[in-house]
Amino acid sequence: MATARSWKILREIGDAVIKASKSPNRRWYGPHMAASVRAISERIPLVDFVLEIRDARIPLSSEYELLRKFSPFLSRRIIVLNKMELADPLELKKWMDYFEARNYLSYAVNSHNKESVKQFLNFLQSQVRELHKTGHSGHTTTMMLLGIPNVGKSALSNSLHQIGRISAAEKGKLKHTVVSSQPGDTKDIMSLKIGSHPNVYVLDTPGVFPPYLIDAEICSKLALTGAIPNDIVGEMELARFFLTILNSSHEYKKWAKICKSQDSTESVPAQRKRQYPTDHTQDFIVYDVRRVLFETISAFNGNLEDDISMRNLIETQFAALRTVLRVSEEAKEEGSRFRNILF
């Protein structure tokens, strides 16, 4: 349930992004992005498949608008909902049904999970086989990964490249495209081999926005999921927006089991400190953050509809999160030292 306060913050964030998109210096849409648009536009008609990478949490807001100019090629488009591990499974299923009802081919994937990527690779290879059945005579199939900034194109292309080479038992040095949590770090188009017999390549491309953004709600969602640089909106404003939404909903109740399992782990703090993140989400930090948020919201007995009460709750959460993140960083540093001793 969205409160008046959350809508107000949403509008403020959206307006800040819209203002930045219209700014003369255009920090988030510089010359490199305009050059990327030209390079991508020249290559789209030449590839066999277009993999439009979207954020599974915001499948419509993360649409790649440039593709609207290439409608003749959309029959070979696959909408890839990346970061599925961060999305609500029920909502994700609804979105998959939504695309299927509109005859759009879609697939959900977690680019940091080997099994998920392997299944996605098998799906892509089946699409290549179907293409060859229609008379495709080329020995090489190319797939271009397209998307707005920070939807995980580079992470996905690297994973496809690594698993594809292992599956094909190929030797040689692996390539890697730059993977960063900051949007806009990929500058050039890079080709990575993901299959053999027939050869299949993916082209990783820079993330591109349209020159101007006009919808405040879409802008807020893009900012909250990391597609837009934090310096345009501000990390504190984004955090307040997220906490306002979380506090106004019942989503946090899903984390109750984290607190219940806490008692069983308190007796083995050494093991707790030796846990390492398995992927970019840094599992043990996420665990601690969710536990703290559950505890602070559950202990709150004020009126969430009251602006002052909501602000006080958020400040309490900020203080608690600062403590847990500082402890998590110390645990990570100790874990790193322990690993260095072993290896």
Side-chain angles (χ1 to χ4, degrees):
M1 179 184 65
T3 64
R5 176 173 174 77
S6 65
W7 281 112
K8 179 182 178 183
I9 298 176
L10 182 148
R11 173 60 63 177
E12 290 174 354
I13 292 174
D15 289 344
V17 175
I18 292 172
K19 182 178 179 180
S21 75
K22 296 179 180 179
S23 171
N25 60 12
R26 306 279 287 283
R27 285 180 295 163
W28 64 278
Y29 191 91
H32 73 280
M33 198 170 283
S36 297
V37 169
R38 290 193 297 269
I40 291 170
S41 299
E42 291 172 356
R43 288 170 173 78
I44 286 180
L46 305 178
V47 301
D48 299 300
F49 290 94
V50 168
L51 307 184
E52 183 191 356
I53 315 300
R54 300 192 189 186
D55 191 316
R57 296 167 293 179
I58 50 171
L60 293 187
S61 297
S62 55
E63 178 188 1
Y64 189 76
E65 289 192 15
L66 180 63
L67 278 181
R68 295 180 182 180
K69 300 179 181 179
F70 294 91
S71 55
F73 304 97
L74 296 190
S75 60
R76 297 197 298 270
R77 177 182 66 165
I78 301 172
I79 298 175
V80 182
L81 302 180
N82 193 25
K83 304 187 181 183
M84 62 174 293
E85 74 281 10
L86 303 179
D88 182 289
L90 294 178
E91 290 297 317
L92 182 57
K93 176 64 169 59
K94 291 179 183 178
W95 283 116
M96 298 290 286
D97 293 340
Y98 170 88
F99 291 124
E100 183 180 1
R102 286 156 180 76
N103 295 320
Y104 295 150
L105 189 58
S106 63
Y107 195 98
V109 66
N110 173 1
S111 60
H112 295 272
N113 181 281
K114 289 184 179 179
E115 189 58 36
S116 179
V117 175
K118 187 180 297 184
Q119 292 174 5
F120 181 49
L121 183 61
N122 291 338
F123 167 78
L124 293 179
Q125 289 171 338
S126 70
Q127 296 300 310
V128 172
R129 288 193 293 270
E130 290 298 318
L131 178 65
H132 281 266
K133 288 180 182 178
T134 63
H136 184 273
S137 57
H139 297 291
T140 298
T141 301
T142 55
M143 301 180 173
M144 179 177 278
L145 275 65
L146 299 175
I148 63 173
N150 214 27
V151 289
K153 296 184 301 299
S154 295
L156 183 57
S157 60
N158 283 337
S159 296
L160 288 169
H161 176 52
Q162 181 180 31
I163 293 176
R165 285 172 54 87
I166 292 173
S167 300
E170 287 199 5
K171 298 180 180 180
K173 188 176 181 180
L174 284 169
K175 291 183 179 180
H176 290 284
T177 60
V178 176
V179 177
S180 171
S181 61
Q182 295 300 316
D185 276 359
T186 301
K187 304 295 184 184
D188 302 310
I189 297 176
M190 186 170 183
S191 175
L192 299 174
K193 190 174 184 180
I194 66 170
S196 301
H197 313 296
N199 294 328
V200 183
Y201 289 83
V202 293
L203 304 179
D204 183 32
T205 64
V208 174
F209 277 127
Y212 301 100
L213 296 175
I214 58 175
D215 188 297
E217 184 175 354
I218 289 177
C219 291
S220 298
K221 292 177 180 179
L222 293 174
L224 193 60
T225 53
I228 292 174
N230 290 338
D231 61 345
I232 289 179
V233 178
E235 292 182 354
M236 291 296 288
E237 287 75 11
L238 290 175
R240 286 193 176 92
F241 177 43
F242 166 77
L243 288 175
T244 300
I245 295 174
L246 179 68
N247 295 338
S248 303
S249 70
H250 298 289
E251 288 295 308
Y252 72 94
K253 292 183 179 179
K254 297 178 181 178
W255 303 334
K257 61 182 180 181
I258 295 177
C259 294
K260 291 180 181 179
S261 63
Q262 183 68 14
D263 294 337
S264 62
T265 60
E266 287 179 349
S267 60
V268 283
Q271 291 181 13
R272 180 76 177 85
K273 291 179 180 180
R274 293 174 188 175
Q275 292 179 3
Y276 306 116
T278 56
D279 59 31
H280 70 305
T281 59
Q282 298 190 0
D283 294 341
F284 69 91
I285 296 179
V286 172
Y287 176 100
D288 286 339
V289 167
R290 289 175 173 174
R291 174 179 55 79
V292 167
L293 290 178
F294 177 84
E295 291 173 347
T296 54
I297 302 174
S298 299
F300 179 72
N301 56 8
N303 180 13
L304 291 175
E305 295 295 327
D306 179 65
D307 190 62
I308 295 178
S309 296
M310 178 68 83
R311 251 184 289 142
N312 290 338
L313 172 58
I314 290 174
E315 291 308 314
T316 300
Q317 290 171 323
F318 276 149
L321 288 171
R322 289 189 190 101
T323 300
V324 74
L325 291 175
R326 184 171 62 251
V327 172
S328 294
E329 282 300 314
E330 291 172 355
K332 188 167 65 173
E333 290 177 7
E334 184 166 332
S336 177
R337 289 195 294 271
F338 175 76
R339 180 171 50 188
N340 290 337
I341 291 173
L342 288 180
F343 302 102

